[in-house]
């Protein structure tokens, strides 16, 4: 097992995740089996209880783990399936150590950060790195470990110390460190001082960078690279320039051009490793496909505009997987994606009174868009705006995709305006509402008091019901009889209203295994009005985009028929 640690300095949010995923992808193109671990130095046990407006989206795994959004990057780039244990947090490590202490496992010793916490971190990394994550079912060979936050923070100190020890535990030929830094451009000059300071910090903690990846708005000048090499005490081939590129999908190619792999292969004693020819050719194929995808995307000029009507639009990372899935689907449809961000409260009557210009702007975006997407969300703020957008989509034959909350919104809109139960809503927004006419109700089997990890989470089967051959969603899933997708919700469509709703044309074409839970909806006769109670964005892959998203983009681009008649919609229907 070879470990490649990716840490960061200067500031957070400079693209460590993309760099780490891209590095993993390059190892895969060489034929290696790659896994990844994300370390988040916060105290929370997981990302489940964190506000998306503070920390970006909460990513959900097959096993129901609610984890940091970077795990999504890894799954998408590396086409792997991770587990909740692949996301280490301070909270998880401490509770693990405290549990052992309560069990008396430390045999009377004083339990301390060093060595107990640092050992627990190292043991965890070693154990989890060996979990098979791809369809080979075999142990991975390369483990990318991304350390969140910036080196030097109080929070990350135990992890930095653990990694310092870890390089000796596994041996220098099995450990490489990439430190991601920032080179700001001030008055036209590329400044290296922040990087010098960051590397100094790193070295003072006992870690030596094998590579310094410099994030910069523009290409790094030769002089800058030389200067960083000299002041940071590394060779020029150890300085990698990662300037802003057209899209993050170009980053692996940018790293490859700079011969990053050559250096890492040498450092990790991988140069003479003989891989089976099958693995080698799989890797080569992956590189070819990746190149083809990025270059064909560069050459697509027609655009498609999607209005994303949500409630966390002030932090785009709240919808990271949705954005990525829209990108994947647009690449498949050869379209340039334009997302218009619409804060749903701006579509409401109240904004019309308090801020007329925002109200008109928001409606302008919705009316101009080729398609509308209402993503997941919690709480009552902004709901009326989403309902209004769904009504607009239904009445004007505009493609609409509702995800989780977005499906519930489409149902509320339909029950109010087509069935005529004007006051109908979700019990999430009004717990006192009349259950007989509520569109959305509590799921009986979830905990209603404790919030951490108690929703209906993770992968579940959704079966297409009988007589759904007309369904666009079913065709998009290659005619499969069932699909496996990830869930994260506490409420569901009121089973008591299903008959009435369906009689008016809004069909629940997919249900869970008990057939009591409505999982997919589609409006018969509409261009594309679909909803999923599950979150298809969590398993969308760069090279295998999520089908409901492909449907939205294709129908918004006017090419749905072409896509449906193409022969590459085969769906594995397994996990
Ligand atoms: N708040 C809704 C529920 O709990 C929708 C959840 C979501 O969109 N992820 O059912």
């Amino acid at each position: 097992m070879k470990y490649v640690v990716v840490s960061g300095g200067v500031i957070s949010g400079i693209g460590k995740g993309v760099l780490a995923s891209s590095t993993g992808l390059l190892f895969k193109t060489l034929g290696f089996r790659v896994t990844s671990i994300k370390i988040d130095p916060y105290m929370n046990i997981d990302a489940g209880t964190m506000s998306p407006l503070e920390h970006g989206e909460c990513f959900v795994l097959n096993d129901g783990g609610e984890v940091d959004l970077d795990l999504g990057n890894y799954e998408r780039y590396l086409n792997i399936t991770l587990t909740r244990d692949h996301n280490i947090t301070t909270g998880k490590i401490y509770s693990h150590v405290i549990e052992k202490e309560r069990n008396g496992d430390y045999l009377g010793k004083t339990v301390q950060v060093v060595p107990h916490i640092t050992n627990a971190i190292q043991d965890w990394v070693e154990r989890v790195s060996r979990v098979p994550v791809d369809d080979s079912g075999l142990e991975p060979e390369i483990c990318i470990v991304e350390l969140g936050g910036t080196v030097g923070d109080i929070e990350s100190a135990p992890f930095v110390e653990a990694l310092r020890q870890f390089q000796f535990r596994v041996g220098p030929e099995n450990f490489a460190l990439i430190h991601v830094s920032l080179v700001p451009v001030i008055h036209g000059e590329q400044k290296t001082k922040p990087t010098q300071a960051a590397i100094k910090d790193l070295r003072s903690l006992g870690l030596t960078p094998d590579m310094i990846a410099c994030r910069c708005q523009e290409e790094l000048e030769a002089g800058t690279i030389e200067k960083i090499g000299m002041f940071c005490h590394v060779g020029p081939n150890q300085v990698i320039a990662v300037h802003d590129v057209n899209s993050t999908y170009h980053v692996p190619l940018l790293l490859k051009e700079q011969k990053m792999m050559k250096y890492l292969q040498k450092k990790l004693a991988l140069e003479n490793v003989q891989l089976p020819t099958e693995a080698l050719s799989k890797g080569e194929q992956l590189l070819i496909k990746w190149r083809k995808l990025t270059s064909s995307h560069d050459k697509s000029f027609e655009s498609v505009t999607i209005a994303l009507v949500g409630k966390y639009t002030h932090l785009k990372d709240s919808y990271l997987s949705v954005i990525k899935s829209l990108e994947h689907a647009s690449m498949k449809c050869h379209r340039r994606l334009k997302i218009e961000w619409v804060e749903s409260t701006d579509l409401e009557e109240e904004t019309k009174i308090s801020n007329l210009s925002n109200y008109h702007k928001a409606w302008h975006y919705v009316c101009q868009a080729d398609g509308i997407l209402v993503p997941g969300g919690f709480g009552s703020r902004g709901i009326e705006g989403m309902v209004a957008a769904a009504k607009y989509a239904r009445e004007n034959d505009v493609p609409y995709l509702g995800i989780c909350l977005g499906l519930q919104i489409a149902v509320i809109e339909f029950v109010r305006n087509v069935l005529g139960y004007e006051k109908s809503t979700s019990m999430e927004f009004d717990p006192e509402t009349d259950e007989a006419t509520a569109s959305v109700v509590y799921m009986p089997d979830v905990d209603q008091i404790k919030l951490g990890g108690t929703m209906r989470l993770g992968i579940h089967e959704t079966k297409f019901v009988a007589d759904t051959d007309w369904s666009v969603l079913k065709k998009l899933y290659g005619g499969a009889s069932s699909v496996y997708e990830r869930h994260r919700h506490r409420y569901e469509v009121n089973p008591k209203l299903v008959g009435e709703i369906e009689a008016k044309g809004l069909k629940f074409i997919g249900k869970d295994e008990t057939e009591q839970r409505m999982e997919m909806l589609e409006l018969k006769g509409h261009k594309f009005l679909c909803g999923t109670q599950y979150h298809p964005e969590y398993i969308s892959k760069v090279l295998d985009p999520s089908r409901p998203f492909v449907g939205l983009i294709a129908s918004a681009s006017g090419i749905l028929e072409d896509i449906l008649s193409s022969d590459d919609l085969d769906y594995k229907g397994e996990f």
Side-chain angles (χ1 to χ4, degrees), residues 142-291:
I142 311 279
C143 178
I144 310 282
V145 182
E146 181 191 343
L147 175 60
T150 37
V151 169
D153 294 349
I154 291 180
E155 284 83 5
S156 58
F159 293 102
V160 173
E161 171 57 17
L163 291 169
R164 186 195 68 74
Q165 295 174 19
F166 195 65
Q167 59 188 327
F168 299 105
R169 187 193 277 214
V170 298
E173 72 287 6
N174 297 320
F175 183 94
L177 176 67
I178 304 174
H179 197 61
V180 186
S181 174
L182 177 74
V183 176
V185 181
I186 311 281
H187 302 310
E189 199 188 328
Q190 298 182 345
K191 295 287 189 188
T192 64
K193 200 54 124 262
T195 302
Q196 294 179 38
I199 299 298
K200 215 166 154 187
D201 281 350
L202 189 71
R203 288 189 192 278
S204 71
L205 298 167
L207 286 168
T208 309
D210 291 294
M211 308 212 95
I212 303 174
C214 301
R215 287 285 293 113
C216 189
Q217 285 169 341
E218 51 190 46
E219 283 187 43
L220 282 200
E221 290 155 17
T224 311
I225 296 185
E226 217 171 277
K227 206 165 163 189
I228 291 174
M230 187 172 79
F231 284 107
C232 297
H233 193 60
V234 294
N237 58 340
Q238 289 168 274
V239 182
I240 298 283
V242 197
H243 58 264
D244 289 354
V245 276
N246 270 354
S247 80
T248 51
Y249 306 107
H250 285 78
V251 175
L253 305 174
L254 183 67
L255 303 179
K256 190 172 168 63
E257 266 167 37
Q258 297 178 61
K259 308 208 166 39
M260 178 190 201
M261 280 300 115
K262 269 223 142 48
Y263 185 86
L264 288 178
Q265 278 175 284
K266 190 160 170 224
K267 167 78 211 297
L268 296 168
L270 289 168
E271 281 169 312
N272 299 320
V273 171
Q274 290 291 329
L275 290 176
T277 35
E278 203 190 318
L280 290 172
S281 79
K282 230 175 143 182
E284 278 163 20
Q285 286 305 317
L286 174 63
L287 184 60
I288 292 169
K289 279 196 207 155
W290 198 276
R291 275 193 201 285

Side-chain angles (χ1 to χ4, degrees), residues 376-378 403-405 408 428 488-491 533 535:
F378 296 84
I403 296 172
C404 204
L405 175 65
Q408 299 172 358
E428 177 176 10
R488 183 172 191 247
H489 65 126
R490 203 170 261 122
Y491 298 85
Q533 185 61 73
H535 290 262

Side-chain angles (χ1 to χ4, degrees), residues 312 374-379 403-408 426 428-429 440-441 443 455 487-492 532-535 537-538:
Y312 316 118
V374 177
F378 296 84
I403 296 172
C404 204
L405 175 65
L407 168 140
Q408 299 172 358
S426 163
E428 177 176 10
F429 318 135
V440 179
V441 293
M443 274 184 291
M455 282 183 255
H487 295 70
R488 183 172 191 247
H489 65 126
R490 203 170 261 122
Y491 298 85
E492 62 179 341
T532 61
Q533 185 61 73
Y534 55 79
H535 290 262
E537 71 270 27
Y538 290 140

Side-chain angles (χ1 to χ4, degrees), residues 383-399:
I383 293 307
E384 293 309 321
M386 294 178 199
V387 171
K391 181 168 189 269
Y392 172 83
R394 181 177 57 77
E395 292 180 338
N396 295 283
D397 207 23
V398 175

Side-chain angles (χ1 to χ4, degrees), residues 46-108:
D46 61 32
T49 54
M50 293 165 102
S51 159
L53 277 174
E54 190 156 316
H55 203 78
E57 95 181 341
C58 163
F59 192 75
V60 179
L61 299 169
N62 270 6
D63 66 5
E66 297 175 286
V67 294
D68 186 80
L69 50 78
D70 275 315
L71 274 82
N73 271 331
Y74 294 114
E75 288 203 339
R76 288 188 283 268
Y77 272 67
L78 305 177
N79 197 12
I80 53 176
T81 304
L82 299 170
T83 70
R84 66 180 77 226
D85 284 354
H86 287 85
N87 192 187
I88 307 178
T89 65
T90 298
K92 279 186 193 167
I93 293 288
Y94 272 75
S95 74
H96 170 75
V97 170
I98 290 168
E99 197 183 313
K100 280 177 69 174
E101 186 273 334
R102 291 290 82 187
N103 284 340
D105 292 352
Y106 293 110
L107 306 175

